[in-house]
Amino acid sequence: MANSTSGESVLQRISKILDTFDHSSPVQSALEISKRTGISRSTTYRMLHELCHEGFLRRIEDGRYSVGLKLWEYGVRANGFEHFGRLARPFLQGIHETLGFNVSLATLDQDEGAVVYLERVGARENTQDLTEVAGRLPAVLTATGMVLMAFSEPRIWERGLREITVEQLAKIGMDRPQLRALLAKIKSEGYCHLSGVLVPDSTGTSVPVFGKKRELLGAMTFVAPRQEVDLRTQLPVLVSGARSLGLAAAVPSPSANPTEWETYSFSALGV
């Protein structure tokens, strides 16, 4: 693809434009997009016109832009993460109703070293919980990310250890050898519990979700205030939910209706 004077390809500029849309900025003007991306106004206007023509963006009545339906369609039709998130929702709901905490399912973007949240159940406005569906957080700053790194291939460990910044190490209060030891401990014990890293009074507790052949599918996590944590009673609920989701995901039925699992009960597992 042709490059701009800045050296960016067309695809890179399109990615920068799409990246400007999020929960805080779902609708934007061309000028706002130009400022946020650093792309010239004329190029921004031209690319916005083309993106609207292809259905990736849409131009609303006041002249501003929002994400179009085509991106959503592509994600639903061809992305297994969408199905996995929908499949997980009844299990997350069961954990939420049992424990009373926000619960999420996430996967690891290995290239970016970030946790991507696929589904979440709990209070929409909760200052103790920074997770949101389709949102990202640094893997090394979350219990979710630590679990996903610990149970990934060793090269993922090494990359994370190599790329972690001094600021991130300061946030978790350890050096690289200590982080390596923590990842080994998480893999041995089967869970991660972090306290006060991103939010001072908040904790995250996470466990892996495995598939039929023990392949890592994701991580399930609950976020709770520090003073309300009792892992002796809460961790078994999370583990049971993650195991049950793994069993459900092993069923070869891509078109399965998630409501089939709505009657899921922890009491059936003896929890």
Side-chain angles (χ1 to χ4, degrees):
M1 289 189 177
N3 287 355
S4 66
T5 55
S6 67
E8 293 177 325
S9 68
V10 173
L11 185 57
Q12 287 173 318
R13 283 175 282 167
I14 289 174
S15 179
K16 287 178 71 173
I17 289 172
L18 295 179
D19 279 345
T20 65
F21 292 91
D22 54 28
H23 288 297
S24 62
S25 304
V27 179
Q28 303 176 85
S29 68
L31 180 59
E32 289 171 327
I33 294 171
S34 176
K35 288 180 177 178
R36 294 183 70 180
T37 59
I39 300 172
S40 69
R41 293 188 191 183
S42 59
T43 300
T44 298
Y45 277 109
R46 175 175 58 79
M47 299 190 78
L48 289 174
H49 175 75
E50 294 175 358
L51 287 167
C52 286
H53 182 267
E54 295 299 325
F56 298 125
L57 296 180
R58 68 186 183 95
R59 193 168 187 265
I60 58 181
E61 292 181 0
D62 64 3
R64 294 185 297 165
Y65 298 85
S66 66
V67 174
L69 280 174
K70 187 170 283 189
L71 290 178
W72 174 80
E73 290 178 84
Y74 286 163
V76 171
R77 286 205 310 259
N79 193 323
F81 295 119
E82 173 73 17
H83 170 68
F84 188 39
R86 286 188 286 112
L87 179 65
R89 188 167 182 82
F91 300 98
L92 300 178
Q93 186 68 43
I95 296 170
H96 170 65
E97 292 177 358
T98 303
L99 301 181
F101 304 137
N102 290 359
V103 192
S104 62
L105 174 73
T107 189
L108 180 67
D109 184 334
Q110 298 178 2
D111 294 329
E112 299 293 331
V115 171
V116 181
Y117 292 90
L118 307 178
E119 189 57 87
R120 177 181 181 276
V121 173
R124 291 182 181 274
E125 300 298 331
N126 187 334
T127 56
Q128 296 289 331
D129 186 1
L130 302 180
T131 64
E132 59 181 9
V133 176
R136 289 171 175 256
L137 289 174
V140 295
L141 300 185
T142 64
T144 305
M146 290 289 195
V147 161
L148 290 169
M149 287 177 61
F151 287 93
S152 293
E153 298 176 11
R155 63 182 179 84
I156 306 301
W157 281 42
E158 297 305 324
R159 182 172 180 172
L161 289 167
R162 185 171 63 251
E163 297 182 354
I164 188 171
T165 66
V166 174
E167 292 76 12
Q168 289 173 332
L169 285 169
K171 278 185 175 292
I172 58 177
M174 58 184 70
D175 56 24
R176 283 182 174 82
Q178 289 172 323
L179 177 55
R180 185 188 297 275
L182 175 60
L183 291 171
K185 181 172 182 283
I186 291 168
K187 189 168 185 178
S188 173
E189 295 183 344
Y191 77 98
C192 177
H193 177 75
L194 288 184
S195 179
V197 176
L198 291 175
V199 180
D201 295 323
S202 182
T203 70
T205 304
S206 184
V207 298
V209 179
F210 293 113
K212 186 176 182 179
K213 298 180 180 180
R214 291 291 294 178
E215 70 276 21
L216 181 65
L217 301 179
M220 192 177 282
T221 307
F222 71 76
V223 174
R226 192 194 304 261
Q227 67 274 15
E228 296 182 29
V229 173
D230 181 0
L231 293 184
R232 292 173 301 174
T233 59
Q234 296 159 352
L235 185 58
V237 175
L238 188 65
V239 170
S240 295
R243 287 176 178 170
S244 297
L245 173 58
L247 290 173
V251 178
S253 179
S255 60
N257 185 343
T259 57
E260 293 176 15
W261 292 277
E262 287 179 356
T263 56
Y264 169 76
S265 170
F266 290 108
S267 60
L269 297 168
V271 176

Short mmCIF file of all heavy atoms in Angstrom, two decimals, residues 240-266:
data_model
loop_
_atom_site.label_atom_id
_atom_site.label_comp_id
_atom_site.label_asym_id
_atom_site.label_seq_id
_atom_site.Cartn_x
_atom_site.Cartn_y
_atom_site.Cartn_z
N SER A 240 -14.62 -23.45 39.54
CA SER A 240 -15.69 -24.29 39.02
C SER A 240 -16.32 -23.68 37.77
O SER A 240 -16.62 -24.38 36.80
CB SER A 240 -16.77 -24.50 40.09
OG SER A 240 -16.25 -25.23 41.18
N GLY A 241 -16.51 -22.36 37.81
CA GLY A 241 -17.07 -21.69 36.65
C GLY A 241 -16.15 -21.79 35.44
O GLY A 241 -16.60 -22.04 34.31
N ALA A 242 -14.86 -21.62 35.66
CA ALA A 242 -13.90 -21.70 34.56
C ALA A 242 -13.84 -23.11 33.98
O ALA A 242 -13.77 -23.29 32.75
CB ALA A 242 -12.51 -21.27 35.04
N ARG A 243 -13.87 -24.11 34.83
CA ARG A 243 -13.84 -25.50 34.35
C ARG A 243 -15.09 -25.83 33.55
O ARG A 243 -15.03 -26.48 32.50
CB ARG A 243 -13.69 -26.46 35.53
CG ARG A 243 -12.31 -26.45 36.15
CD ARG A 243 -12.26 -27.36 37.38
NE ARG A 243 -10.91 -27.39 37.94
CZ ARG A 243 -10.62 -27.95 39.12
NH1 ARG A 243 -11.59 -28.53 39.83
NH2 ARG A 243 -9.39 -27.93 39.56
N SER A 244 -16.23 -25.36 34.01
CA SER A 244 -17.48 -25.64 33.32
C SER A 244 -17.53 -24.93 31.97
O SER A 244 -18.04 -25.47 30.99
CB SER A 244 -18.66 -25.20 34.19
OG SER A 244 -18.70 -25.96 35.38
N LEU A 245 -17.00 -23.71 31.91
CA LEU A 245 -16.93 -23.01 30.63
C LEU A 245 -16.03 -23.76 29.66
O LEU A 245 -16.34 -23.90 28.48
CB LEU A 245 -16.41 -21.59 30.83
CG LEU A 245 -16.13 -20.79 29.55
CD1 LEU A 245 -17.39 -20.69 28.68
CD2 LEU A 245 -15.62 -19.39 29.89
N GLY A 246 -14.90 -24.27 30.15
CA GLY A 246 -14.01 -25.05 29.31
C GLY A 246 -14.69 -26.28 28.75
O GLY A 246 -14.52 -26.62 27.57
N LEU A 247 -15.50 -26.95 29.56
CA LEU A 247 -16.24 -28.13 29.09
C LEU A 247 -17.27 -27.74 28.04
O LEU A 247 -17.44 -28.43 27.04
CB LEU A 247 -16.93 -28.81 30.27
CG LEU A 247 -16.02 -29.52 31.28
CD1 LEU A 247 -16.82 -29.99 32.49
CD2 LEU A 247 -15.32 -30.70 30.61
N ALA A 248 -17.96 -26.63 28.27
CA ALA A 248 -18.97 -26.17 27.31
C ALA A 248 -18.32 -25.77 25.99
O ALA A 248 -18.85 -26.04 24.91
CB ALA A 248 -19.74 -24.99 27.89
N ALA A 249 -17.14 -25.15 26.06
CA ALA A 249 -16.45 -24.71 24.85
C ALA A 249 -15.93 -25.90 24.05
O ALA A 249 -15.69 -25.77 22.85
CB ALA A 249 -15.29 -23.78 25.23
N ALA A 250 -15.76 -27.05 24.70
CA ALA A 250 -15.25 -28.23 24.01
C ALA A 250 -16.30 -28.89 23.14
O ALA A 250 -15.99 -29.72 22.29
CB ALA A 250 -14.72 -29.24 25.04
N VAL A 251 -17.57 -28.53 23.35
CA VAL A 251 -18.65 -29.10 22.55
C VAL A 251 -18.58 -28.50 21.15
O VAL A 251 -18.67 -27.28 20.99
CB VAL A 251 -20.03 -28.80 23.18
CG1 VAL A 251 -21.14 -29.35 22.30
CG2 VAL A 251 -20.10 -29.39 24.58
N PRO A 252 -18.42 -29.31 20.10
CA PRO A 252 -18.26 -28.80 18.74
C PRO A 252 -19.57 -28.32 18.14
O PRO A 252 -20.17 -28.98 17.29
CB PRO A 252 -17.71 -30.01 17.98
CG PRO A 252 -18.31 -31.18 18.68
CD PRO A 252 -18.35 -30.78 20.15
N SER A 253 -20.04 -27.18 18.61
CA SER A 253 -21.31 -26.64 18.12
C SER A 253 -21.21 -25.13 17.99
O SER A 253 -21.68 -24.39 18.85
CB SER A 253 -22.44 -27.01 19.08
OG SER A 253 -23.67 -26.49 18.64
N PRO A 254 -20.59 -24.62 16.90
CA PRO A 254 -20.40 -23.17 16.73
C PRO A 254 -21.68 -22.38 16.74
O PRO A 254 -21.71 -21.22 17.09
CB PRO A 254 -19.71 -23.08 15.36
CG PRO A 254 -19.08 -24.42 15.15
CD PRO A 254 -20.01 -25.39 15.81
N SER A 255 -22.80 -23.02 16.37
CA SER A 255 -24.07 -22.30 16.32
C SER A 255 -24.91 -22.50 17.57
O SER A 255 -26.08 -22.18 17.60
CB SER A 255 -24.88 -22.76 15.10
OG SER A 255 -25.15 -24.16 15.18
N ALA A 256 -24.30 -23.08 18.60
CA ALA A 256 -25.05 -23.36 19.82
C ALA A 256 -25.64 -22.11 20.42
O ALA A 256 -25.05 -21.03 20.36
CB ALA A 256 -24.14 -24.05 20.84
N ASN A 257 -26.80 -22.26 21.00
CA ASN A 257 -27.48 -21.14 21.64
C ASN A 257 -27.01 -21.03 23.08
O ASN A 257 -27.16 -21.98 23.85
CB ASN A 257 -29.00 -21.38 21.60
CG ASN A 257 -29.78 -20.19 22.14
OD1 ASN A 257 -29.23 -19.33 22.82
ND2 ASN A 257 -31.06 -20.16 21.84
N PRO A 258 -26.45 -19.87 23.49
CA PRO A 258 -25.94 -19.73 24.87
C PRO A 258 -27.00 -19.97 25.93
O PRO A 258 -26.68 -20.31 27.05
CB PRO A 258 -25.46 -18.28 24.92
CG PRO A 258 -25.17 -17.94 23.50
CD PRO A 258 -26.20 -18.68 22.70
N THR A 259 -28.30 -19.83 25.58
CA THR A 259 -29.34 -20.02 26.58
C THR A 259 -29.40 -21.46 27.07
O THR A 259 -30.02 -21.75 28.09
CB THR A 259 -30.72 -19.62 26.03
OG1 THR A 259 -30.99 -20.39 24.84
CG2 THR A 259 -30.74 -18.14 25.67
N GLU A 260 -28.77 -22.37 26.33
CA GLU A 260 -28.75 -23.77 26.76
C GLU A 260 -28.08 -23.92 28.12
O GLU A 260 -28.32 -24.86 28.85
CB GLU A 260 -28.01 -24.63 25.74
CG GLU A 260 -28.72 -24.73 24.40
CD GLU A 260 -27.90 -25.51 23.39
OE1 GLU A 260 -26.95 -26.20 23.83
OE2 GLU A 260 -28.20 -25.45 22.20
N TRP A 261 -27.20 -22.96 28.47
CA TRP A 261 -26.45 -23.07 29.72
C TRP A 261 -26.99 -22.13 30.79
O TRP A 261 -26.39 -21.95 31.82
CB TRP A 261 -24.97 -22.77 29.46
CG TRP A 261 -24.34 -23.85 28.63
CD1 TRP A 261 -23.84 -25.04 29.05
CD2 TRP A 261 -24.15 -23.84 27.22
NE1 TRP A 261 -23.35 -25.77 28.00
CE2 TRP A 261 -23.52 -25.05 26.87
CE3 TRP A 261 -24.46 -22.91 26.22
CZ2 TRP A 261 -23.20 -25.36 25.55
CZ3 TRP A 261 -24.13 -23.22 24.91
CH2 TRP A 261 -23.52 -24.43 24.58
N GLU A 262 -28.15 -21.51 30.56
CA GLU A 262 -28.66 -20.53 31.51
C GLU A 262 -29.11 -21.17 32.82
O GLU A 262 -29.30 -20.50 33.81
CB GLU A 262 -29.78 -19.71 30.88
CG GLU A 262 -29.25 -18.71 29.85
CD GLU A 262 -30.35 -17.90 29.22
OE1 GLU A 262 -31.53 -18.17 29.53
OE2 GLU A 262 -30.04 -17.01 28.40
N THR A 263 -29.31 -22.47 32.81
CA THR A 263 -29.76 -23.14 34.03
C THR A 263 -28.56 -23.62 34.85
O THR A 263 -28.72 -24.31 35.85
CB THR A 263 -30.64 -24.36 33.70
OG1 THR A 263 -29.92 -25.24 32.83
CG2 THR A 263 -31.91 -23.92 32.99
N TYR A 264 -27.37 -23.25 34.41
CA TYR A 264 -26.15 -23.63 35.12
C TYR A 264 -26.21 -23.24 36.60
O TYR A 264 -26.61 -22.15 36.94
CB TYR A 264 -24.94 -22.96 34.45
CG TYR A 264 -23.67 -23.06 35.25
CD1 TYR A 264 -22.97 -24.26 35.28
CD2 TYR A 264 -23.20 -21.98 35.95
CE1 TYR A 264 -21.79 -24.35 35.98
CE2 TYR A 264 -22.01 -22.08 36.66
CZ TYR A 264 -21.33 -23.27 36.67
OH TYR A 264 -20.16 -23.36 37.37
N SER A 265 -25.83 -24.15 37.46
CA SER A 265 -25.87 -23.88 38.90
C SER A 265 -24.61 -24.39 39.57
O SER A 265 -24.17 -25.51 39.30
CB SER A 265 -27.09 -24.56 39.53
OG SER A 265 -27.02 -24.49 40.94
N PHE A 266 -24.03 -23.59 40.42
CA PHE A 266 -22.84 -24.02 41.14
C PHE A 266 -23.17 -25.14 42.13
O PHE A 266 -22.32 -25.92 42.50
CB PHE A 266 -22.21 -22.84 41.88
CG PHE A 266 -21.57 -21.84 40.95
CD1 PHE A 266 -22.15 -20.61 40.74
CD2 PHE A 266 -20.44 -22.18 40.25
CE1 PHE A 266 -21.58 -19.72 39.88
CE2 PHE A 266 -19.86 -21.28 39.38
CZ PHE A 266 -20.43 -20.04 39.20
#
